[in-house]
Structures are given as C-alpha cells and as structure tokens.
Amino acid sequence: MGSNEVSAEPLMICAPIRSQCVEQILKNMHQAKAQGADVVEISLDHITNFHPHNHLQTILTNKLLPILFSYRPKWEGGLYEGDENIRLEALQLAMELGADFIDIELKAFSCFKTIMEQKKKHSNHGKIIVSSYVDGVTPTTSELLNLVTLMQATGADMIKLVTNAEDITEIKRIFSILPYSKVPLIAYSVGDRGLISQLLCPKFGGFFVYGTLDGNPVPGMPPLETLQEAYKLEHVNEATKVFGLISKPVGHSKGPLLHNPTFRHAKFNGMYVPMFVDDLKEFFSTYTSDFAGYSVGFPYKEKVLSFCDEVHPLAQSIGAVNTIVRRPIDGKLVGYNTDCEGAITAIEDALIEHGCNDGGEVLSSPLARRLFVLVGAGGAGRALAFGAKSRGSRVVIFDIDFERAKSLASAVSGEAWHYKALASFEPEKGAILANATPIGMHPNIGDRISVAEASLKEYELVFDAVYTPRKTRLLKEADEVGAITVSGVEMFLRQARAQFNLFTGLQAPEHFMREIVLSKF
Ligand SMILES: O=C1C[C@@](O)(C(=O)O)C[C@@H](O)[C@@H]1O
C-alpha cells in the first residue's frame, strides 16, 4: 500500500449526532461520552426550526466533549435547502461562540472566507475542516490526491474526503492517500463496503474514526460499543496484522467480537474485520499483500479455492475453504478448512456427554454407522458431509439444488434427495439431523428447514450450523421432543479456535474464547 507512516495525530473517535432537537442532542452527547467518544459531530441541518444563536449557545454551554459542527446543504448530501449566506453565517457564528471544529464544504469555502473577513471575528482555538463528498465510484488515487491538494490550498486546519464505495476494492485508494496529506486528513467511505475505511485507518495513517451511538446505526460506521469491546483502535498501529472475514452479507458475523479480544489476550498484534466482498477476483487482485489472512463465509467457501496458491488436503477433498493464511515466508495464500472438525467434534462430544455410544460397543466415534441426515450441500454442508463420512456415518443429503446434492453424495458415497422430499422423509431411530443452510438465521428467526414435526422425535441429535440466534427455531422444537441439540455457536467457537492457531501460530486460549462466546453470544 505504499509508504504508510502512521499519523502523528492522536486517534479521535467521533460520534455523529443527527437529532432534530437540542434536548436530544444534549442527551446524545452524554451517551457519546459514556460510550467512549472523544468528539461529537453535530449536524445542524437536522435540527427543526434551527435558531442559530440560541441553539448553538445552548449546545456549547452544555458541551461535554469537543464539538464539530457541520451544516450540510442538499447539494452535498445534507438537509439544508435555504440561503447559502445564512448557512455559512451560522457556521461562522459557531466558531465565534467557541466550536472546536467546523466543517465547510470545499465548494463553499471561498464564500465562507469572505464572510469571515467581513465579520473580522476569529475564535481563538476553533479549527476549520474543509470537506469534500464524492458521489459515485471512488476516483483514482491521483484524482484523490489532486482533490487533497485543492483542499490543502485553502489553508484549512484539517481536510476531510468522503466517498461512497460501491466495492470494497475502492478503499485501497483511500488508504493509499492517507500518508500524503500535509495537514491532518480524515478520509473514509460510507456504506457497508466502506466499513474497513474506518476500522483500518489507524493502520494506514488515518486518525479520525466515526462510531455510532446505540440505536443510531449508520451503514459503514461501527457502533461505539463495538469499537470499545472488539476493536480498541488505540492499539492498532502500522505493524498490526489484519485478518478479515470475506463474506456477503457480513454484518451478522460475531467473528470480530471473538477474534479481536482473543488477539489482545494472547498479546498478538492483530485485528479482525468484516470485509463485504462482491467480487473475489477483484478483491484478491487489489489487496495483493495488505492482509495477513482471512476467514471465508457464505457464499464463497467453494469459489475461494481457485484464489489460493495452496490448499490443505482436507480442504481440497472437501472442496471448501473457510480459512486462508498468507504464509509469511513467501506471501502465498494457503487455504484450510476448520469447519469440518469444528462441527463434527461438537456433535461427537455432545453424543459422548449424553452417553450415546451405541450399545456399549467400542466404536472409534459415536457417529460410526449412524444415519447422518444433512440439509444443505454448500460450503458448510460439504464440511459436515466429509466429516460424517470420515467417522463412518451413512450420509443422506437434501438440497434445493438436486444436482449439487447428487455431486456431494457421490463424493461421500451417500444418498441424494431433493429438498422437497425432506418433509416426508422418515429417518431411522437414532439418526443425526444437521442443518447446513442459512434457514432460520437472524433476522428470519421464525423459519426452519421443512423436516416433518412427527419425524423430529426420531432423531437422537439435531445440529444447526446457524449461530445467530444461538437457539434456532429448529433447535427449540428438537429440544421440545427430547432430542440432544447442538448449536452452531459450538461449531463457530471450534472453527474459530483452529483459525486462531493458523492465523497466529500460537495455541488458542480455549477457556478465554469459550467465556466470550458464553457471555456475549
Ligand atoms: O461459517 C463460518 C462463520 C463465519 O463465516 C462467520 O460468520 O463469522 C466465519 C467462518 O470462518 C466460518 O466458517
């Protein structure tokens, strides 16, 4: 990513406040302080019936944190539609009354300067941020640098550049300009694909990160609470190794809540972030050496194999990779599968715990000879099918895509059925049922795979790879009819433990990780 001197500016976490009334703004400021923000950005264009003098005075006399005021016009993505002079005079007044920062759009800067000169009143300490919002695809690096030069030429104390990334690969351009500004530069991209521009900026030379208040989510901005609990960006520096979850969607993942605290616990300088990826080819050809490894989630576990330089034999035979490590000695991407052992050992341990070891016979695994009914033949399903087969189970596979079910069944000498047949399928007593589809995952928690209610009680154990919620509807119903149930949370924990070992070369702190999962999931 070019030379990346880490910013000399101390890290600042800023909470955006977009409320309609001043009382609410003051409450939000309290909340922001309690949740660890260093500064708040108050959008004046969101206040209804805004009376500059009264409102600014009330806000500033009650301020708990440094305040940045913006007053965004419609032409730059804000709500203000009135006269430009009135808008700029309000910002000038904010400076006069003691604002710590005000944000002026690059296009409005010369008018603002004239107003400042006419008023001849300057605040002692307030800083001017000149900003520019670029809609559409993020411009090239040299176009962005030109914009930075233009903004710097205004004499601003700080400059701010915001883009609206349509693809995660655009963020590389944001990172690449961070070290080149002569004044402190705030640069990021909004939207889901832009989240890493906030989270990784301290590594690449940025210093200003937005974090949202509880109950005020903004796509592409991490919640303040997650910044505090998971990321702790104050520990991130140039040497921090970045790991990411490649998935689409990716926001549901609890990986950051587990991996980041575990890295810190093990004193490993690493960071784990969600990466919303639309196109694997673009992604890997853009980020050629920036990241140290990846988890791979839905829907890429099979497709990602062709982007690995080497694939571990187990992952190769399964045909699905959920973990990639960039090998330090040669930078090659090596793919692994930690889902398989994670899921199968979770099921085996639950059977052993319940004393289900087949009539006292000593078998290598409590899964040996059992019927293993698998629903879903995608990446996670493949891992379960190969794992069950390796333990001597007889595998039956249901999938909405019958061809996919057939191809997996032939790889594990199993039987394939169309998903529709699940509703009338009668398992033998003692069988295992495993859901490896996303059915029942948050927010669709009322859904469950269409297994017949009457046949549910025939299963000795029901497993659900879905881990949000911990107890899916399928597992609740299985509990009610007396089956042993295993939550996807257990698989999630185990696959993540193995990932930690591969990512860091250290031994995962098992007890610590389990505690996090028990308390936070
Ligand atoms: O299936 C999963 C879940 C996951 O994608 C997540 O949501 O964090 C992470 C992957 O490593 C794992 O194989």
Side-chain angles (χ1 to χ4, degrees):
M1 190 100 40
S3 90
N4 45 42
E5 292 159 30
V6 168
S7 167
E9 294 293 315
L11 180 72
M12 264 200 239
I13 307 282
C14 177
I17 297 181
R18 293 175 185 161
S19 296
Q20 292 175 349
C21 72
V22 171
E23 272 154 49
Q24 189 56 43
I25 289 175
L26 299 180
K27 278 190 197 148
N28 287 159
M29 201 158 20
H30 255 281
Q31 209 187 340
K33 187 167 185 196
Q35 291 183 9
D38 303 305
V39 52
V40 289
E41 175 174 331
I42 298 176
S43 300
L44 299 175
D45 48 306
H46 283 247
I47 302 177
T48 27
N49 297 324
F50 178 49
H51 292 291
H53 204 278
N54 293 351
H55 287 160
L56 287 168
Q57 195 123 47
T58 313
I59 294 170
L60 284 162
T61 46
N62 289 289
K63 85 170 189 182
L64 297 168
L65 287 170
I67 300 182
L68 155 57
F69 287 107
S70 63
Y71 197 8
R72 204 63 83 214
K74 203 131 198 169
W75 53 262
E76 191 89 307
L79 300 182
Y80 182 81
E81 287 185 282
D83 180 85
E84 262 306 89
N85 276 330
I86 296 179
R87 181 177 81 83
L88 296 175
E89 277 173 12
L91 284 165
Q92 186 276 330
L93 180 65
M95 274 296 254
E96 207 178 301
L97 295 176
D100 299 270
F101 306 91
I102 55 159
D103 175 323
I104 305 286
E105 300 73 27
L106 176 63
K107 288 180 199 144
F109 185 74
S110 63
C111 291
F112 179 73
K113 209 169 147 198
T114 316
I115 291 174
M116 286 286 274
E117 282 162 3
Q118 281 163 0
K119 301 264 174 186
K120 292 213 173 53
K121 285 182 184 161
H122 295 280
S123 103
N124 293 333
H125 69 289
K127 290 191 171 164
I128 297 181
I129 302 178
V130 168
S131 69
S132 189
Y133 175 79
V134 186
D135 205 3
V137 175
T138 306
T140 61
T141 305
S142 64
E143 285 165 342
L144 289 176
L145 285 173
N146 286 343
L147 199 48
V148 165
T149 310
L150 269 181
M151 288 195 284
Q152 267 173 197
T154 60
D157 298 300
M158 293 185 177
I159 56 178
K160 174 174 166 184
L161 180 58
V162 185
T163 73
N164 189 355
E166 287 173 10
D167 193 277
I168 193 169
T169 54
E170 293 171 34
I171 310 303
K172 175 129 177 174
R173 291 171 230 157
I174 304 268
F175 291 148
S176 64
I177 64 165
L178 283 172
Y180 294 107
S181 176
K182 296 200 176 67
V183 291
L185 166 63
I186 302 166
Y188 62 94
S189 225
V190 292
D192 290 333
R193 277 107 178 141
L195 180 61
I196 64 166
S197 68
Q198 301 279 348
L199 295 177
L200 300 182
C201 91
K203 174 176 167 80
F204 294 114
F207 72 102
F208 201 93
V209 176
Y210 282 90
T212 57
L213 293 165
D214 242 3
N216 293 277
V218 178
M221 286 187 188
L224 283 170
E225 198 187 352
T226 319
L227 287 176
Q228 289 260 34
E229 274 192 27
Y231 298 112
K232 292 205 187 291
L233 297 185
E234 61 275 20
H235 296 299
V236 174
N237 54 39
E238 203 179 348
T240 301
K241 289 193 168 150
V242 176
F243 299 86
L245 166 61
I246 297 176
S247 196
K248 180 183 173 176
V250 71
H252 66 279
S253 174
K254 305 256 191 199
L257 285 179
L258 180 59
H259 283 290
N260 288 302
T262 309
F263 285 155
R264 285 194 293 277
H265 179 82
K267 303 206 171 2
F268 177 81
N269 186 6
M271 188 179 184
Y272 184 95
V273 297
M275 295 180 172
F276 194 119
V277 173
D278 293 279
D279 183 329
L280 286 177
K281 189 158 177 247
E282 283 288 309
F283 179 82
F284 284 111
S285 59
T286 301
Y287 295 107
T288 49
S289 60
D290 310 290
F291 306 134
Y294 307 98
S295 298
V296 184
F298 183 82
Y300 296 132
K301 291 182 183 194
E302 293 157 86
K303 289 194 198 107
V304 84
L305 256 81
S306 59
F307 297 94
C308 295
D309 298 302
E310 284 174 28
V311 178
H312 183 271
L314 174 68
Q316 189 73 57
S317 63
I318 295 171
V321 156
N322 80 320
T323 310
I324 300 177
V325 176
R326 185 180 301 285
R327 199 162 47 203
I329 39 162
D330 56 8
K332 298 245 189 269
L333 295 178
V334 187
Y336 299 88
N337 190 302
T338 67
D339 280 338
C340 177
E341 283 302 297
I344 292 299
T345 59
I347 296 172
E348 284 179 320
D349 287 353
L351 287 169
I352 293 167
E353 207 180 290
H354 287 82
C356 309
N357 239 348
D358 263 8
E361 246 187 287
V362 182
L363 295 172
S364 53
S365 160
L367 282 170
R369 299 189 203 147
R370 277 188 203 262
L371 183 70
F372 195 97
V373 179
L374 173 67
V375 188
R382 292 191 70 88
L384 277 149
F386 277 83
K389 161 85 177 155
S390 76
R391 303 309 206 261
S393 297
R394 291 165 289 125
V395 187
V396 176
I397 301 155
F398 291 83
D399 197 289
I400 202 144
D401 177 347
F402 186 49
E403 289 309 312
R404 190 158 82 149
K406 276 207 295 201
S407 120
L408 179 55
S410 89
V412 297
S413 322
E415 225 178 89
W417 292 87
H418 192 279
Y419 178 68
K420 278 189 219 145
L422 181 65
S424 53
F425 181 75
E426 287 177 13
E428 63 193 42
K429 220 167 175 59
I432 307 294
L433 174 64
N435 173 39
T437 74
I439 298 174
M441 183 161 106
H442 183 83
N444 304 314
I445 57 172
D447 298 349
R448 73 150 168 80
I449 50 171
S450 58
V451 55
E453 233 173 287
S455 65
L456 205 51
K457 64 178 183 315
E458 303 302 326
Y459 291 101
E460 179 115 46
L461 180 146
V462 178
F463 166 79
D464 201 334
V466 170
Y467 73 89
T468 50
R470 170 188 284 268
K471 267 265 149 117
T472 56
R473 176 171 166 203
L474 175 69
L475 293 189
K476 281 187 193 151
E477 289 182 18
D479 262 345
E480 277 161 24
V481 295
I484 304 165
T485 56
V486 177
S487 163
V489 166
E490 193 55 43
M491 169 185 176
F492 179 76
L493 171 64
R494 291 172 188 233
Q495 64 79 35
R497 261 183 352 213
Q499 276 182 345
F500 178 94
N501 298 346
L502 291 165
F503 288 161
T504 64
L506 304 170
Q507 197 55 38
E510 296 204 16
H511 183 69
F512 180 82
M513 291 178 88
R514 186 168 289 281
E515 280 300 303
I516 292 186
V517 166
L518 290 177
S519 61
K520 305 255 185 279
F521 287 28

